[in-house]
Amino acid sequence: MKYAIVHYNTPELTTCLCANINKFDDNASIVIFENSNKRKYDTELFDNVEVIDNSANRLVNFDDLIVESKKHLSPRALAAHNASGNHFGSLRHAASVQWLLDNLNTDFVLLDSDVLLTKSPLHLFNNANAIVCDFLMINNYVCRVLPFMCFMKRDIITQYNLKFFDVNRFDASQLHTDTGGTFCYDILTQNIPYKRFNISEYIVHFGNGSWRTSAKANLPNTEPGNYATFLTKYRGLWQ
């Protein structure tokens, strides 16, 4: 199975995830979309890992996308982005996934860099003729596909021209436009074939790993502490 990971300045998390994938899939092929501006992934660690380098906006020009997105943001959303301190991290993440959808001419499993598999998910994806994903719900409203683990079925994405990122719809003041929100909206409104699974049965998630610091470590629905604590706690999953 092919796996794709968007990486940003957390090589320890991404390295352990690659080791974790290899424990559960002997035939894994891993693609890392490298966005790091400080701490890149070590390309020499695994033979089955391909790194696609976007560290200098070579493939996706985030600066241009941010300028364009601001034309569509509500004042509330723009203030939220400016206050968050993550430098439009959601846009960067979603646009990176969109590049992978546009350029990986095969089915693949999308994984966040700060998760670890707790058991093999292959039975969910093998022979699946659908998008396989889980959703985030807020007040009984399905607002986004969880990008932590999602099976991207190439034929369906091409047939329906599905988008994970659309700069014209990127507005975090609306529930359906966070990372995975545009994808979720298109799946549900176009009646796209999908299969839902309970993601918590298959992964543990550090949460917000690319920007989180110890001062922001105790967030809802994520692991407490820093990522060293997280990796030590779950070392049996990657060692």
Side-chain angles (χ1 to χ4, degrees):
M1 182 67 68
K2 183 173 286 291
Y3 302 81
I5 304 164
V6 177
H7 176 247
Y8 183 70
N9 292 333
T10 56
E12 295 87 354
L13 288 168
T14 300
T15 297
C16 290
L17 174 56
C18 290
N20 168 252
I21 292 169
N22 288 332
K23 287 192 70 169
F24 288 104
D25 186 347
D26 292 334
N27 297 307
S29 173
I30 303 171
V31 171
I32 293 176
F33 195 79
E34 176 65 89
N35 283 330
S36 300
N37 59 359
K38 295 178 181 178
R39 305 179 66 235
K40 292 187 177 183
Y41 169 81
D42 186 346
T43 60
E44 303 299 322
L45 293 175
F46 299 97
D47 292 336
N48 64 333
V49 174
E50 174 191 2
V51 176
I52 299 172
D53 191 1
N54 189 53
S55 57
N57 287 356
R58 292 179 174 89
L59 302 172
V60 182
N61 192 315
F62 297 128
D63 294 335
D64 288 348
L65 288 177
I66 290 170
V67 170
E68 181 63 25
S69 74
K70 288 181 177 180
K71 299 176 183 178
H72 309 284
L73 289 173
S74 67
R76 174 186 172 189
L78 183 57
H81 280 290
N82 290 335
S84 70
N86 71 356
H87 307 293
F88 284 78
S90 181
L91 178 149
R92 295 168 189 268
H93 188 175
S96 298
V97 175
Q98 186 60 50
W99 189 96
L100 292 166
L101 291 180
D102 292 339
N103 292 277
L104 296 186
N105 295 314
T106 187
D107 303 342
F108 67 92
V109 180
L110 176 68
L111 289 167
D112 264 13
S113 61
D114 60 351
V115 306
L116 293 170
L117 302 175
T118 57
K119 60 183 178 181
S120 173
L122 289 176
H123 66 281
L124 296 173
F125 311 137
N126 287 336
N127 302 315
N129 192 29
I131 304 297
V132 184
C133 60
D134 198 2
F135 298 100
L136 174 67
M137 298 187 67
I138 299 177
N139 298 325
N140 295 318
Y141 178 82
V142 180
C143 60
R144 70 170 178 143
V145 167
L146 293 174
F148 318 142
M149 182 168 74
C150 177
F151 177 68
M152 301 298 193
K153 184 66 177 177
R154 176 69 184 176
D155 290 348
I156 290 175
I157 289 167
T158 302
Q159 177 183 350
Y160 293 94
N161 194 28
L162 292 181
K163 299 297 182 184
F164 201 89
F165 174 75
D166 182 347
V167 70
N168 298 312
R169 288 187 280 167
F170 185 77
D171 185 341
S173 69
Q174 304 296 319
L175 287 177
H176 65 74
T177 50
D178 193 2
T179 308
T182 294
F183 197 56
C184 174
Y185 183 81
D186 286 353
I187 288 172
L188 297 182
T189 58
Q190 297 184 50
N191 295 316
I192 306 301
Y194 73 88
K195 177 181 177 182
R196 186 175 183 182
F197 71 103
N198 184 352
I199 199 169
S200 64
E201 295 180 2
Y202 291 88
I203 66 166
V204 287
H205 184 210
F206 175 58
N208 301 304
S210 64
W211 64 273
R212 184 169 152 194
T213 66
S214 59
K216 300 176 179 177
N218 296 312
L219 301 174
N221 303 315
T222 58
E223 287 285 329
N226 56 38
Y227 63 74
T229 303
F230 171 75
L231 294 175
T232 299
K233 179 179 179 180
Y234 295 107
R235 68 176 65 184
L237 294 175
W238 56 268
Q239 282 188 336

